Amino acid sequence: MKNRIILTVITVLALLPAIPLFLILFQLLKEGLSSLSLDFFLHLPAPPGEPGGGIANALVGTLIIVGLAVLIGVPVSILAGIYLSEYGRHGKLSETIRVCADVLQGVPSIVIGIVAYAWVVKPMGHFSALSGSVALALMMIPVVVRTTEEVLRLVPDILREAALALGVPYWRTVLKVVLPTGMVGVSTGILIAVARIAGETAPLLFTAFGNQFLTLNPLEPMSALPLVIFNYAMSPYEDWWRQAWGASLVLVFMVLGLNIVSRILARKIAGEK
Amino acid sequence: MKVPYPIFRTEDLCAYYGDFMAIKHVTVSIPEHQVTAVMGPSGCGKTTFIRCLNRLHELLPGARITGKIYLRDEDILELDPIIVRRRVGMVFQRPNPFPTMTIYENVLAGYKLLGIRLKREEADRIVEDALRKAALWDEVKDVLHRRGTFLSGGQQQRLCIARALAVNPEVLLMDEPTSALDPKATLQIENLIVELKNTVTIVIVTHNMPQAGRISDYTAFFYMGELIEFGPTAEVFTNPKDPRTEEYLTGKFS
Ligand SMILES: Nc1ncnc2c1ncn2[C@@H]1O[C@H](COP(=O)(O)OP(=O)(O)OP(=O)(O)O)[C@@H](O)[C@H]1O
Ligand SMILES: [Mg+2]
């Protein structure tokens, strides 16, 4: 009897952290669902104060900025992860890289934004999607580096030895056996990192900056979902507040979707073991 | 002890893990086209010894080898390890097919992983040939394009044998290849080994005395890193020279 009471109490307490998530989802659905329509996804913003309009430019912008960040950040991260797992596992350089990755992960995103401003916006002379991508890439690098390392370490040594015993050089063994075997895990790490950066606002404020119009040129200022939410929520127009909720809803479901896909992938790896 | 046609000859071979000497001054000749069993109590250095013969040993951090290992008159410690490993194949204790590859690709791994391109007919021929030699062809010929990891343990081990044979090695090293398998799969592999000695020289580590008796022509007996006995299996088993071999054979320790 006593046990059951304790179990019930513990179960209820364990559910507490889930409550905020449901409250957030409830709030978003309540405030945001009414703005969702086909037009919302397909149209550009209406002029200030006028009702209607959509977030097409921000959706496309988020895809481009995040996509570019992946292109910039993922290759270097995977190379670093390979180095940490396959080459200098216990070396001094590896320890340094690990510490740097951890510190970089801890740098506040607003600071990353300022740095990207100094590195890219200043020399170019104007805001651009590219500078935003650089900022987001800096944020995803530590995550991808560490997950790549961890996942590759899980690849059993007997597979490496099987390849080496066939006369395959070590670097080819790494590229053609270790990396493909760990690929699902590496992809999971990338998805988690993308989910993390997709909603980042601070690094985009003075880099991608935002844009009322649709552009596909990464060298121009570009809109993104978090920027739209920020700008609309700060505006004096009620219709924009409503759209900020709508955009928040879209963003949260995007991130949620990425998380779910990465979980399915992670389960697939666990199942293969 | 002199053997008729040695393919491998070690001279004063020592192998270390850091400061620990796991193989001590081993001088031995391994005869061509024969099955040589490597036996001895657990931890005596059997695995270490055969991993010297294809230079896998030196890949572990802190591991090194001294002495000489001749593969037909060439000192393999002077050769490119890549070349050595293509001439001396290896099958491991646990079957280890590449999980991302199909059966077909696994057999060709020794080519594919090296970036060697093969014509379609040639690839097909190598695959069929290797799988036949490994006595696996009939069981997998209709599922060549499925993952190798779907096979049973015994089939996976034979796939690994096929993968090693596909690059035409002169020697095949096997480290307790049946210890993870059931009796039926073990018997299949034993029969296979006897067949294979016409094509390759086999050096097999085994704990299983009856198995060594059934399949091997020569037996090398290790004890605490030293080679204490070497000779034709029948002789070693019936008339061991070293008392420690006899103790092992009569099951005093294992
Ligand atoms: N990676 C390693 N680092 C340090 N010492 C090792 C390592 N591998 C093996 N040894 C040591 O070297 C000795 C020989 O080991 P080895 O694996 O060759 O023995 P074995 O005869 O194959 O044993 P088993 O029958 O248990 O497989 C043992 O004392 C072992 O503890
Ligand atoms: Mg062993």
Side-chain angles (χ1 to χ4, degrees):
Chain A
M1 190 59 212
K2 204 167 161 201
N3 272 338
R4 291 193 55 172
I5 296 174
I6 292 176
L7 184 67
T8 315
V9 171
I10 289 180
T11 312
V12 170
L13 287 177
L15 282 174
L16 277 181
I19 293 173
L21 175 66
F22 284 106
L23 290 179
I24 290 170
L25 288 180
F26 174 74
Q27 183 81 13
L28 284 172
L29 286 170
K30 193 179 90 173
E31 307 272 1
L33 208 52
S34 62
S35 12
L36 296 195
S37 64
L38 204 55
D39 284 359
F40 187 64
F41 289 101
L42 297 180
H43 283 215
L44 292 180
E50 279 181 30
I55 55 164
N57 56 337
L59 272 174
V60 172
T62 283
L63 288 182
I64 291 178
I65 293 171
V66 171
L68 262 181
V70 168
L71 285 183
I72 298 168
V74 166
V76 286
S77 308
I78 290 186
L79 284 179
I82 289 177
Y83 179 85
L84 293 180
S85 158
E86 306 299 314
Y87 288 91
R89 225 175 249 203
H90 308 290
K92 271 227 166 70
L93 180 59
S94 295
E95 221 22 69
T96 317
I97 296 176
R98 286 189 195 105
V99 171
C100 289
D102 287 351
V103 173
L104 181 57
Q105 188 158 9
V107 174
S109 55
I110 186 87
V111 176
I112 301 257
I114 295 175
V115 169
Y117 178 87
W119 285 354
V120 188
V121 178
K122 276 291 268 301
M124 275 176 64
H126 55 85
F127 297 112
S128 66
L130 180 66
S131 57
S133 301
V134 168
L136 295 185
L138 287 175
M139 300 204 59
M140 75 183 292
I141 284 172
V143 182
V144 180
V145 169
R146 295 312 295 268
T147 47
T148 303
E149 178 191 3
E150 276 159 32
V151 165
L152 296 188
R153 271 180 182 228
L154 287 178
V155 173
D157 273 338
I158 57 168
L159 292 181
R160 292 182 181 83
E161 291 194 330
L164 294 169
L166 286 168
V168 180
Y170 193 67
W171 65 273
R172 270 188 178 273
T173 301
V174 169
L175 285 187
K176 302 225 158 177
V177 173
V178 180
L179 195 57
T181 307
M183 207 56 220
V184 183
V186 173
S187 321
T188 309
I190 296 172
L191 283 183
I192 291 172
V194 167
R196 251 179 56 108
I197 62 167
E200 281 294 340
T201 318
L204 298 183
L205 286 177
F206 21 77
T207 54
F209 190 72
N211 191 333
Q212 285 294 87
F213 303 100
L214 179 69
T215 171
L216 301 178
N217 183 353
L219 300 179
E220 286 175 11
M222 198 180 275
S223 185
L225 284 174
L227 289 174
V228 164
I229 297 168
F230 179 76
N231 289 330
Y232 281 14
M234 304 274 285
S235 79
Y237 312 111
E238 207 163 312
D239 192 52
W240 278 13
W241 299 346
R242 203 174 46 77
Q243 294 199 13
W245 281 111
S248 304
L249 185 62
V250 172
L251 184 58
V252 164
F253 272 89
M254 263 172 61
V255 172
L256 215 59
L258 284 167
N259 274 313
I260 289 170
V261 172
S262 61
R263 268 179 179 274
I264 293 172
L265 282 178
R267 190 164 305 161
K268 209 183 134 203
I269 315 178
E272 275 171 7
K273 286 274 151 60
Chain B
M1 131 127 226
K2 277 223 157 74
V3 300
Y5 299 98
I7 186 165
F8 257 126
R9 191 160 52 84
T10 72
E11 265 175 28
D12 198 29
L13 174 68
C14 300
Y16 300 81
Y17 294 100
D19 293 330
F20 175 69
M21 196 179 194
I23 292 293
K24 298 170 186 157
H25 309 287
V26 170
T27 300
V28 67
S29 295
I30 289 168
E32 189 168 9
H33 288 311
Q34 304 281 303
V35 177
T36 299
V38 175
M39 301 194 68
S42 192
C44 68
K46 305 180 293 294
T47 299
T48 310
F49 175 69
I50 67 163
R51 286 169 63 98
C52 291
L53 301 182
N54 66 347
R55 298 192 57 182
L56 270 193
H57 175 70
E58 65 198 50
L59 291 175
L60 297 171
R64 65 200 166 82
I65 302 177
T66 62
K68 303 242 180 271
I69 306 173
Y70 295 100
L71 173 60
R72 304 182 194 280
D73 297 326
E74 283 175 290
D75 185 354
I76 65 166
L77 300 177
E78 312 269 310
L79 294 176
D80 181 354
I82 303 287
I83 309 267
V84 175
R85 293 183 199 134
R86 288 190 79 73
R87 294 175 60 185
V88 183
M90 187 168 219
V91 174
F92 297 79
Q93 192 163 355
R94 296 221 348 254
N96 54 358
F98 297 117
T100 52
M101 298 186 191
T102 63
I103 294 172
Y104 188 91
E105 290 166 334
N106 260 289
V107 177
L108 290 177
Y111 298 91
K112 294 224 154 161
L113 294 178
L114 276 172
I116 300 172
R117 289 185 169 272
L118 297 169
K119 287 216 189 69
R120 184 61 202 260
E121 312 86 69
E122 206 187 350
D124 288 348
R125 189 185 53 72
I126 292 172
V127 169
E128 176 167 351
D129 210 43
L131 287 171
R132 278 191 192 282
K133 278 191 200 152
L136 188 60
W137 175 251
D138 290 331
E139 287 156 68
V140 301
K141 62 173 189 280
D142 300 320
V143 291
L144 288 176
H145 296 287
R146 288 190 66 185
R147 294 275 158 101
T149 38
F150 282 112
L151 299 171
S152 74
Q155 289 174 322
Q156 287 191 22
Q157 194 60 304
R158 278 178 283 148
L159 176 58
C160 294
I161 294 175
R163 179 176 68 188
L165 292 174
V167 294
N168 291 317
E170 295 160 54
V171 183
L172 190 58
L173 308 172
M174 304 176 113
D175 191 356
E176 304 191 41
T178 62
S179 66
L181 305 181
D182 61 51
K184 184 164 164 271
T186 299
L187 190 69
Q188 276 174 321
I189 293 202
E190 286 181 8
N191 293 338
L192 173 59
I193 289 170
V194 176
E195 293 266 308
L196 280 177
K197 72 178 175 187
N198 300 317
T199 10
V200 287
T201 303
I202 291 174
V203 182
I204 178 172
V205 174
T206 174
H207 260 144
N208 179 331
M209 239 168 307
Q211 177 173 71
R214 281 192 297 271
I215 61 176
S216 73
D217 304 293
Y218 285 80
T219 293
F221 198 88
F222 282 79
Y223 186 83
M224 290 178 67
E226 285 176 74
L227 178 72
I228 58 168
E229 186 120 17
F230 180 77
T233 301
E235 248 171 66
V236 173
F237 275 31
T238 52
N239 195 6
K241 295 189 193 77
D242 194 296
R244 289 167 294 185
T245 316
E246 189 168 355
E247 278 175 40
Y248 181 81
L249 292 172
T250 52
K252 293 244 171 62
F253 56 85
S254 62

